[in-house]
Amino acid sequence: MEGGGRPSAAQAVLLAASTALTALVYSVYRQKARVARGLEGARRVRLDGDLRTVLLEAPGRCVPYAVIEGVVRSVKETLSSQFVENCKGVVQRLTLQEHKMVWNRTTHLWNDYEKIIHQRTNTTPFDLVPQEEGTGVTVRVMKPLDAAELSLETVYEKFHPSIQSFTDVIGHYISGERPKGIQETEQMLKVGTALTGVGELVLDNTTIKLQPPKQGMPYYLSSVDFNTLLQKQESNVRFWKILTVVFGFATCAVLFFILQKQYRHHRERRHLKQMQDEFRQAQDRLMREMNAEGGETLKNACVICLSNTKSCVFLECGHVCSCNECYWALPEPKRCPICRQAISRVVPLYNS
């Protein structure tokens, strides 16, 4: 603690940082909890002949947040894999990722480093259709790339290692970067994939559309079933809740430590003030007692000890100001306590 009981700069910074982290983690927890509550309250609809009737009866022919499950079917032409034969899909993502080792000058270790150097995503319009044929009901999926969770299957993956000469190896050690190679990946949302869609379900003329919701809730196109998706979100909420409790406890501990230090400082100051008051009262009491004994007694008291009676005359100055014991206690060469003149001899004083 600094003077005046204020927290030190380090303690103030620690408390501010802990409070800010707690607030940040708590805000993330509230956001995750809101998403989980919204997902739990989403309306589950079946992809069957009654779906159009449900939307006709809904306000504005719209269900703001709905859950629907179906199978992916392309509307027009499908996308073909560049590496796998007879692999058709509606979303295709091609990625080139660089892998290398980077020297860390702080830890003196080589760390793995990955960087996407090129990525291209191709899409084609597609619908969700029932698993059972013959119902004739389809749902057009809009803006699939805006989905918070878009389940793509990796259909091709190959790593191309770097070919290095001895000179290249030496240069890499000097520069602090060692290339490992390039990883080529192809991911696709294949035709026939069972998909769980969570979003806004709307009837636009004769077309039923699934699109990103307008209330700020997340848009999902997941290959897992709805219960698994909900459990995943609830598990995420529990994680952030525990993290919030931990950071909150740490903030409370720091605050308790600072308050305890302030309390101890306040208690020490109060004790010191109490001692000063007691000393001042004792001085006042002593002065009153001395005044009560009479001015003559105080007048004849030794100016050094203030307890014995004056009993010495200092020559040549002639001052009568000390008792015999205090005279012998004066340092050599002895001088008068009143005028600081050298004392040549002392004559005893006898009071009759």
Side-chain angles (χ1 to χ4, degrees):
M1 303 293 290
E2 294 180 348
R6 297 186 301 272
S8 64
Q11 292 173 349
V13 169
L14 180 61
L15 180 60
S18 180
T19 304
L21 284 175
T22 302
L24 178 62
V25 173
Y26 178 68
S27 65
V28 175
Y29 160 69
R30 289 197 60 181
Q31 180 183 2
K32 298 292 183 182
R34 184 178 67 88
V35 170
R37 286 194 303 268
L39 193 61
E40 187 176 3
R43 181 177 178 180
R44 302 190 65 173
V45 296
R46 293 179 59 85
L47 190 55
D48 54 19
D50 297 332
L51 178 58
R52 190 176 300 273
T53 305
V54 171
L55 291 175
L56 286 172
E57 295 175 352
R61 296 184 177 185
C62 171
V63 178
Y65 208 46
V67 180
I68 192 165
E69 298 178 350
V71 177
V72 174
R73 186 182 71 181
S74 177
V75 176
K76 299 178 180 179
E77 296 181 357
T78 57
L79 301 174
S80 300
S81 171
Q82 294 187 4
F83 305 98
V84 181
E85 295 183 359
N86 301 322
C87 183
K88 304 290 185 179
V90 293
V91 179
Q92 178 189 48
R93 180 171 293 164
L94 301 170
T95 305
L96 290 179
Q97 190 174 38
E98 179 186 14
H99 293 258
K100 61 182 178 181
M101 302 287 288
V102 178
W103 177 255
N104 191 318
R105 301 183 184 277
T106 304
T107 61
H108 299 286
L109 296 172
W110 290 94
N111 299 327
D112 289 323
Y113 178 78
E114 299 176 358
K115 178 183 177 182
I116 296 178
I117 57 178
H118 179 72
Q119 188 175 77
R120 187 177 79 249
T121 303
N122 303 318
T123 62
T124 187
F126 68 95
D127 293 338
L128 290 181
V129 300
Q131 295 184 355
E132 300 82 7
E133 298 292 338
T135 58
V137 180
T138 61
V139 175
R140 181 67 51 83
V141 178
M142 311 300 294
K143 300 181 180 180
L145 299 183
D146 291 347
E149 182 174 328
L150 179 60
S151 297
L152 299 179
E153 179 183 349
T154 301
V155 297
Y156 176 82
E157 187 175 19
K158 186 175 181 180
F159 184 76
H160 304 276
S162 299
I163 300 177
Q164 305 175 18
S165 64
F166 180 73
T167 306
D168 294 335
V169 172
I170 295 177
H172 296 154
Y173 271 97
I174 295 175
S175 64
E177 293 186 0
R178 294 164 48 189
K180 298 172 63 177
I182 303 295
Q183 183 173 355
E184 191 175 15
T185 306
E186 182 182 25
Q187 296 173 299
M188 296 190 72
L189 178 58
K190 296 193 294 185
V191 174
T193 302
L195 210 62
T196 300
V198 184
E200 183 181 68
L201 202 61
V202 60
L203 178 60
D204 186 7
N205 295 327
T206 59
T207 305
I208 302 176
K209 296 180 180 180
L210 179 68
Q211 58 190 16
K214 296 183 177 64
Q215 304 91 341
M217 296 298 292
Y219 182 38
Y220 293 101
L221 294 172
S222 177
S223 59
V224 301
D225 61 272
F226 176 70
N227 292 330
T228 303
L229 183 62
L230 181 59
Q231 290 175 2
K232 180 180 178 182
Q233 295 302 320
E234 290 176 345
S235 176
N236 202 8
V237 170
R238 285 193 296 271
F239 169 77
W240 284 101
K241 183 177 181 179
I242 294 173
L243 209 59
T244 301
V245 172
V246 170
F247 276 94
F249 179 79
T251 302
C252 292
V254 173
L255 182 60
F256 175 77
F257 174 77
I258 293 177
L259 292 178
Q260 186 184 38
K261 287 286 186 180
Q262 286 185 325
Y263 172 73
R264 289 180 178 176
H265 180 80
H266 175 71
R267 188 173 60 180
E268 290 175 358
R269 289 185 59 187
R270 186 174 60 182
H271 181 65
L272 178 60
K273 185 176 182 300
Q274 183 180 359
M275 292 179 62
Q276 290 175 344
D277 292 341
E278 292 177 354
F279 179 73
R280 191 177 299 108
Q281 292 174 3
Q283 281 186 324
D284 295 340
R285 187 168 57 251
L286 179 61
M287 292 300 296
R288 287 195 301 269
E289 291 176 354
M290 293 180 66
N291 291 333
E293 292 178 358
E296 190 66 25
T297 303
L298 183 61
K299 181 179 178 180
N300 293 328
C302 172
V303 298
I304 299 176
C305 66
L306 296 177
S307 57
N308 297 329
T309 304
K310 300 174 183 177
S311 59
C312 297
V313 181
F314 297 151
L315 299 177
E316 301 295 329
C317 66
H319 284 124
V320 181
C321 59
S322 171
C323 63
N324 188 54
E325 290 81 358
C326 292
Y327 163 73
W328 290 109
L330 291 174
E332 297 292 343
K334 299 183 185 299
R335 294 181 179 274
C336 175
I338 302 299
C339 63
R340 306 305 300 166
Q341 184 176 343
I343 300 174
S344 58
R345 62 194 183 95
V346 178
V347 177
L349 178 67
Y350 299 98
N351 294 319
S352 58

